[in-house]
Amino acid sequence: MSTTTGMIGNGHSAQLLAMVQVFQQLSRTTNDEEVVRTLLKCAISITKAHRVRLISHDGETMLVECEARCSQNDEVTVNHCRRPVESDALFRKVFDKVSPTCRPVLLGTRSHEREQVGVSPQTYLLENPMLCLPLLNGDGNREILCLDTQPDALPFDEALISCLNILSAQAAVKRENLRLHARIAIENKTIEEVEVALCANKKELAHMQRMSRTGSWRWCALTNMLEASSEFFRIFEIPHERRMPSAKLINLTHPDDLPLVRIALVKAIAARRVFKLEFRIVVGFGEIKYVQVEGHPQTDDAGNLQYIGVTVDVTERRNAENALQAARAELARAHRLSTMGEMAASIVHEVYQPLTGIITNAEACLRWLSKSPAEAARARDSARRVARDARRAAEVFRGLRAVASNSGITKVPVDLDDAIREVTFLLQGELDRANIRLRLQTDVAKPVLGDRTQIQQVLENLLRNSMDALLCDLGTQKSLIVSSASHDTAFAMVTVQDNGCGFGEHSAEELFDALFTTKPNGMGMGLKVCRSIVEAHGGLLQAERREQETVFRFTLPYLNGTSGE
Ligand code: ADP
């Protein structure tokens, strides 16, 4: 390498030419390393420095980013080294000096010491003069260009420093441009990625809306216009429009639902309230769909009212519910039919006895009348019994009707013991003929609340069953006990017990099943009807198998809910 003597400060036109070439080269350069390399090479070529370094300082560490050296045979080598600086303290001071002023600092030459150099060369024992130029850097990192000359070199002259300043400024601008370009490229890429992600989200959202049959929308109160998602338009089966007047949708609302929808919407909008509606729409060629709509009020940037919301197609769900309801109704109808069958059977059962009585007594009456002379008194007795049995049958019908409708029981205060005595009195003849001794133990002090005829119907049924059970067991002494007593403060209890044949292996609850009978001519409805009568009174009817005995007992509520004991 040639010595710097006579080079620095001389040959300004050559320097300018070199700089113009560098400017051209810089303008073509497309990456930062190349800019730095060009800058460093050019700095060496115009100053004949033996070393040029680009040093960066990020506030903490100082690094030699790049270093150019000139060899003995004028060959310039550039090395992007990124290594720590050697004289850390010196460069820290240089940075402190350069940064605020943005002016070059020259170290180690007497002539410049006075004007520009803030750091004394003796302090840092520099071997060679050194020029440090600030490099503008948009990143916030501070950088300097540091040129080392030979010990015998002339000081950097003003023109050369100016050239270097222009050069480094030009390089800094280029680097800044490249940085900005790189940043813009990154930002563009990010925007592109965001756009791709947005597009994917939009597709996903549309897919989800499709799956859930949910359309989203936004309605502006000021313009009465609606913007909505594709699924919304699919539900309404109308072509997609970016914005459309909401009146179009009103026209698709089912005419029967329209008045209510209108009222609900007007009210919600006036009060700026959330609304939730379900109504029918008529789409396509008259197909009816069910939609659920939910809207939430908002105000736009200008303070105008708008609603955002969702519309869900619930047609499938609603149709399924309707089908389920129809199936339930059909089931209920079938149940009612079977209940009616039970009722018919029970009617036959309950009126059979009085009808038989009527026929027998009517025939007897005819016989007494056909005698000569006619036995009027006996015929009258038979006719009375006919009338009595007919009345009985009529009462049974009335009672059954009350049970069937589950209402219409005329509950009145009933003297329970008296009602029991009346029934046993009526059956006394039959009991005597069957050789059954009835024991009566009545002990209810207060009236119960109920229908006297129905209560008697229950008791009569239980007594007849006991008689049947006693008659089928011929071997034993027949015993039938009817008792009444207070069950607790609220209920009276009637018990019918016999030592008849019992109900064998059947469970007590089975006896109450409709059509359950062990009798050849039985209907199996008596106990079922009895239970429903007692339950309609608020009481309970139960059966119990005891050793040698069958016990039926039922409770009835007291008139005032207390026995008075
Ligand atoms: P039905 O008298 O027409 O058979 P019920 O419903 O009154 O219908 O009685 C059902 C069945 O309960 C009777 O067939 C009988 O087997 C049984 N049962 C009812 N009361 C008694 C009783 N006191 N002792 C034994 N079995 C009884």
Side-chain angles (χ1 to χ4, degrees):
M1 180 185 169
S2 57
T3 62
T4 53
T5 314
M7 284 301 188
I8 296 172
N10 294 332
H12 290 157
S13 54
Q15 289 164 3
L16 280 173
L17 190 65
M19 278 176 58
V20 169
Q21 281 170 355
V22 169
F23 289 169
Q24 285 171 346
Q25 206 174 326
L26 282 178
S27 69
R28 286 193 299 273
T29 309
T30 53
N31 78 55
D32 190 66
E33 278 194 2
E34 216 179 314
V35 174
V36 171
R37 198 179 304 125
T38 309
L39 170 68
L40 265 56
K41 273 184 172 176
C42 179
I44 281 194
S45 102
I46 62 173
T47 60
K48 302 299 177 198
H50 85 100
R51 178 170 71 160
V52 181
R53 285 172 291 174
L54 177 69
I55 299 173
S56 71
H57 182 15
D58 65 1
E60 297 236 328
T61 44
M62 283 177 294
L63 291 174
V64 178
E65 298 284 342
C66 188
E67 185 177 83
R69 280 178 185 274
C70 190
S71 64
Q72 296 272 321
N73 51 3
D74 275 351
E75 253 181 41
V76 179
T77 53
V78 182
N79 181 18
H80 289 273
C81 44
R82 280 189 71 77
R83 61 171 167 75
V85 291
E86 304 85 21
S87 2
D88 194 89
L90 165 68
F91 283 107
R92 226 167 260 285
K93 296 247 173 191
V94 171
F95 270 107
D96 288 349
K97 182 80 187 162
V98 166
S99 297
T101 59
C102 280
R103 297 183 64 189
V105 169
L106 187 58
L107 304 167
T109 50
R110 242 169 234 294
S111 58
H112 287 80
E113 234 172 59
R114 257 180 304 118
E115 304 125 63
Q116 295 178 26
V117 181
V119 185
S120 159
Q122 286 79 15
T123 317
Y124 301 101
L125 304 170
L126 285 170
E127 287 172 13
N128 305 326
M130 190 170 79
L131 178 67
C132 296
L133 294 127
L135 269 178
L136 295 172
N137 181 327
D139 272 1
N141 269 8
R142 292 178 290 168
E143 285 179 329
I144 54 169
L145 198 61
C146 187
L147 297 96
D148 300 289
T149 57
Q150 301 296 347
D152 56 342
L154 290 172
F156 292 94
D157 68 17
E158 291 292 338
L160 189 59
I161 290 175
S162 295
C163 278
L164 286 170
N165 264 336
I166 293 167
L167 182 68
S168 58
Q170 187 66 24
V173 167
K174 181 68 191 180
R175 292 181 76 201
E176 187 60 21
N177 271 345
L178 288 175
R179 254 185 237 120
L180 286 175
H181 271 118
R183 199 175 297 163
I184 287 167
I186 290 169
E187 275 169 12
N188 281 347
K189 193 152 189 315
T190 312
I191 288 169
E192 219 171 88
E193 282 168 4
V194 168
E195 273 172 1
V196 169
L198 265 179
C199 196
N201 277 351
K202 214 172 147 188
K203 267 190 191 164
E204 213 169 277
L205 188 69
H207 190 68
M208 284 174 184
Q209 289 204 351
R210 187 76 209 264
M211 283 197 309
S212 61
R213 289 156 200 249
T214 304
S216 53
W217 49 262
R218 176 188 300 275
W219 173 76
C220 173
L222 189 70
T223 58
N224 204 11
M225 295 295 269
L226 193 100
E227 289 169 40
S229 68
S230 316
E231 185 57 21
F232 179 88
F233 290 97
R234 204 196 60 76
I235 292 171
F236 282 86
E237 296 186 19
I238 49 176
H240 195 152
E241 285 176 63
R242 209 179 70 75
R243 292 173 86 224
M244 69 165 190
S246 42
K248 263 193 184 181
L249 296 176
I250 293 291
N251 292 339
L252 295 176
T253 306
H254 192 289
D256 292 351
D257 296 349
L258 189 57
L260 283 177
V261 171
R262 264 191 210 283
I263 292 169
L265 285 178
V266 167
K267 273 188 182 169
I269 292 165
R272 298 194 167 212
R273 265 202 330 256
V274 169
F275 64 80
K276 290 180 190 175
L277 300 169
E278 182 173 327
F279 55 90
R280 289 165 297 171
I281 54 172
V282 186
V283 299
F285 295 105
E287 188 200 337
I288 290 177
K289 284 186 177 179
Y290 291 84
V291 288
Q292 271 178 358
V293 183
E294 180 166 344
H296 289 236
Q298 283 189 340
T299 40
D300 65 11
D301 295 341
N304 298 317
L305 174 68
Q306 60 176 13
Y307 270 81
I308 57 159
V310 288
T311 297
V312 190
D313 181 355
V314 292
T315 312
E316 258 182 36
R317 196 201 311 163
R318 178 66 53 218
N319 285 343
E321 281 170 9
N322 288 346
L324 192 70
Q325 238 164 32
R328 277 201 192 120
E330 184 54 31
L331 206 66
R333 208 176 71 84
H335 181 71
R336 272 202 303 279
L337 278 178
S338 85
T339 310
M340 275 170 68
E342 285 175 8
M343 286 306 297
S346 76
I347 289 165
V348 172
H349 176 84
E350 296 302 331
V351 297
Y352 185 75
Q353 299 282 353
L355 281 180
T356 317
I358 289 168
I359 293 164
T360 313
N361 284 309
E363 281 168 356
C365 180
L366 286 174
R367 269 199 310 275
W368 297 128
L369 289 173
S370 60
K371 286 217 168 180
S372 146
E375 293 206 31
R378 289 188 154 165
R380 226 182 346 262
D381 278 351
S382 296
R384 262 194 217 106
R385 281 196 289 274
V386 168
R388 185 200 64 194
D389 285 348
R391 245 193 327 271
R392 180 90 193 119
E395 277 174 6
V396 169
F397 274 118
R398 190 176 63 81
L400 285 172
R401 200 176 58 218
V403 172
S405 63
N406 227 355
S407 62
I409 302 173
T410 325
K411 287 185 187 168
V412 290
V414 176
D415 182 337
L416 187 59
D417 290 348
D418 187 57
I420 294 171
R421 274 194 294 274
E422 196 172 284
V423 174
T424 53
F425 178 73
L426 283 170
L427 291 176
Q428 194 57 58
E430 286 180 57
L431 288 167
D432 289 344
R433 276 193 295 280
N435 200 19
I436 298 169
R437 219 186 114 236
L438 172 76
R439 253 196 302 153
L440 197 61
Q441 300 167 347
T442 51
D443 189 20
V444 173
K446 299 264 285 178
V448 294
L449 188 64
D451 185 312
R452 186 182 171 99
T453 309
Q454 287 193 9
I455 294 168
Q456 286 183 325
Q457 192 184 327
V458 171
L459 189 62
E460 187 187 335
N461 196 84
L462 296 181
L463 285 171
R464 283 190 185 285
N465 279 345
S466 285
M467 282 160 70
D468 290 343
L470 287 166
L471 284 174
C472 75
D473 195 352
L474 298 170
T476 51
Q477 174 77 37
K478 299 176 183 75
S479 153
L480 176 60
I481 306 168
V482 176
S483 55
S484 67
S486 273
H487 175 56
D488 55 26
T489 53
F491 285 90
M493 185 162 72
V494 180
T495 309
V496 178
Q497 63 192 88
D498 65 75
N499 63 346
C501 61
F503 45 87
E505 75 283 7
H506 301 290
S507 76
E509 273 308 292
E510 238 177 305
L511 310 185
F512 296 93
D513 288 347
L515 306 179
F516 175 85
T517 183
T518 54
K519 299 171 196 169
N521 300 318
M523 289 290 295
M525 284 304 301
L527 288 178
K528 170 125 182 111
V529 172
C530 287
R531 184 171 255 185
S532 66
I533 290 173
V534 171
E535 284 176 356
H537 280 75
L540 285 175
L541 169 60
Q542 285 162 324
E544 192 189 336
R545 181 197 294 116
R546 284 195 199 151
E547 219 179 324
Q548 313 291 331
E549 277 189 335
T550 304
V551 182
F552 282 82
R553 60 170 80 85
F554 63 93
T555 53
L556 291 167
Y558 281 116
L559 172 64
N560 55 5
T562 163
S563 67
E565 288 165 5

